[in-house]
Amino acid sequence: MNTAIIVQNLKCGGCANTITTKLSEIDNILDININVEESKVSFNYKSEEAILAVKTKLKTLGYPSIDDDNNLVSKAKSFVSCATGKLSK
């Protein structure tokens, strides 16, 4: 099955690289696609638990879903995740 999550703080390819790398580590998540312009993270999943794992990982990285609080800590985490993604390209 396929779904998409609209996230906050997604600004560039560095962000997308980090998100792709980290979500690839989650079991039962496949075909990850990041659309920076739309702030959309789409992927295929095999269980509902996998969607929750993705949302949790995104929030941990500083990219909370549009429904979650986007506080200063999230913004700072996304800045670090972005920089990490740019360096690992």
Side-chain angles (χ1 to χ4, degrees), residues 10-81:
L10 179 56
K11 297 187 175 31
C12 69
C15 299
N17 189 37
T18 295
I19 291 170
T20 302
T21 300
K22 295 299 183 181
L23 295 187
S24 296
E25 297 170 357
I26 300 173
D27 290 336
N28 299 317
I29 298 296
L30 307 164
D31 303 320
I32 300 160
N33 184 32
I34 312 297
N35 184 318
V36 176
E37 291 80 28
E38 295 180 7
S39 295
K40 186 188 312 185
V41 178
S42 58
F43 54 92
N44 289 329
Y45 63 96
K46 294 185 179 179
S47 69
E48 296 297 320
E49 293 82 20
I51 295 174
L52 182 58
V54 168
K55 284 186 174 182
T56 301
K57 178 60 81 174
L58 288 168
K59 190 171 185 176
T60 300
L61 293 169
Y63 305 102
S65 75
I66 198 79
D67 301 327
D68 287 336
D69 182 37
N70 187 22
N71 58 33
L72 186 59
V73 173
S74 289
K75 291 175 185 176
K77 287 180 181 179
S78 72
F79 182 78
V80 172
S81 293

